Amino acid sequence: MSSSKTPTRVTPSRAVIKISGAGFGDENPLESDSISYILDQVNQARKTGTEIAIVVGGGNIIRGQEQEILTRTAGDIAGMVGTIVNGIVLKDQLQSLNVPVLLQSAFPTDRVTEPVSPDRADQHLQDGGIVVFVGGTGNPYFTTDSAAALRAGEIGADLILKGTNVSGVFTGDPAEEESEFLPELTYEHLVDHDLDIIDAAAANICRETGIPMVIFDLFDEGATARALEGDEIGTYVYPER
Ligand code: UDP
């Protein structure tokens, strides 16, 4: 798709996993079964030997753009704070499994997070720990997909995994029978065809950094680790060049 040459999938030494808020809960913002499932997937991912940084979303708590009574900026600030709540939960749970975790936030909350520091993150990853990035980009009008794209560039990740609740990118609504699954495509195609799976800002940052992304079903048991091993799951999105 959009390129005559099929790309070889990257087996990364360092990856950013973007976990949407939906991974933490659905009917309730935080559901213990969902959180246990995430922990399990992260543990399997670590066992591949890949260095893992995680960017967490906050859609299970609040999405700024969907709030009727709030201004957009107030809603977005609340949204970014929501990502910090998820990050606190993830850090607590990973630490209870003796995984060393650094919780870095683009949105200052000094008592519970440290500021984003690519240097400190780099060292911690080299030492075998996990870095959890929260607070999105620290700015309204963005999403945590853009944060994942930015952090991946800053820490020199070779791959971004975006876990969603669909198996990848389709030509239209995945629920519609005529929508076709796209096993691979370029960021350029994603932006040009307005495929609504990551926002254009995130896709453009990925074009700039040149880091590919696998968009896959987070709820497909074991898929996170398999994606890190280069298995052809989900949709592989890569820069055109
Ligand atoms: N948000 C923001 N700036 C950012 C990242 C997130 O304002 O850089 C806000 C925005 O309101 C968004 C909410 O935080 O709706 C939750 O983030 P996101 O929608 O990316 O979470 P996900 O859908 O991945 O759970």
Side-chain angles (χ1 to χ4, degrees):
M1 175 63 50
S2 339
S3 167
S4 51
K5 198 163 167 275
T6 303
T8 308
R9 294 210 180 194
V10 167
T11 46
S13 39
R14 178 173 288 180
V16 165
I17 304 177
K18 158 71 203 292
I19 301 177
S20 295
F24 288 79
D26 182 13
E27 299 200 345
N28 297 309
L30 298 172
E31 288 172 9
S32 51
D33 285 356
S34 305
I35 294 163
S36 303
Y37 177 79
I38 290 178
L39 282 182
D40 202 30
Q41 301 310 299
V42 172
N43 257 326
Q44 291 180 28
R46 283 190 89 213
K47 286 189 187 140
T48 66
T50 310
E51 294 174 359
I52 306 286
I54 299 171
V55 170
V56 291
N60 55 323
I61 297 178
I62 182 168
R63 283 183 206 281
Q65 62 276 32
E66 291 173 2
Q67 303 311 307
E68 280 177 21
I69 59 161
L70 296 179
T71 59
R72 175 65 190 262
T73 46
D76 280 345
I77 289 168
M80 286 185 271
V81 172
T83 70
I84 297 168
V85 172
N86 287 337
I88 292 168
V89 170
L90 191 55
K91 178 180 178 187
D92 180 73
Q93 296 297 294
L94 285 166
Q95 282 183 333
S96 69
L97 301 174
N98 295 319
V99 179
V101 180
L102 269 192
L103 187 59
Q104 295 198 343
S105 179
F107 193 88
T109 43
D110 299 353
R111 279 191 61 181
V112 285
T113 63
E114 63 173 60
V116 172
S117 161
D119 286 346
R120 275 182 55 76
D122 178 56
Q123 191 58 56
H124 188 74
L125 291 168
Q126 284 186 47
D127 293 344
I130 284 188
V131 180
V132 178
F133 291 113
V134 293
T137 64
N139 295 297
Y141 301 102
F142 282 94
T143 67
T144 49
D145 284 351
S146 290
L150 288 170
R151 301 299 160 247
E154 284 181 308
I155 64 169
D158 334 273
L159 185 67
I160 301 169
L161 298 188
K162 178 179 158 74
T164 69
N165 55 5
V166 287
S167 52
V169 183
F170 290 77
T171 51
D173 182 348
E176 302 289 334
E177 218 172 275
E178 62 269 21
S179 298
E180 273 175 53
F181 175 71
L182 301 171
E184 61 204 29
L185 75 162
T186 62
Y187 286 116
E188 288 73 11
H189 183 98
L190 198 80
V191 173
D192 291 349
H193 292 76
D194 213 11
L195 295 174
D196 191 24
I197 189 91
I198 58 169
D199 58 88
N204 280 319
I205 298 164
C206 291
R207 275 165 91 163
E208 198 69 36
T209 60
I211 302 170
M213 180 183 293
V214 176
I215 299 174
F216 69 104
D217 182 0
L218 178 67
F219 303 98
D220 174 8
E221 159 62 36
T224 308
R226 293 203 309 278
L228 294 174
E229 285 163 339
D231 277 15
E232 301 210 342
I233 55 153
T235 298
Y236 191 69
V237 193
Y238 59 99
E240 196 174 81
R241 60 182 128 91

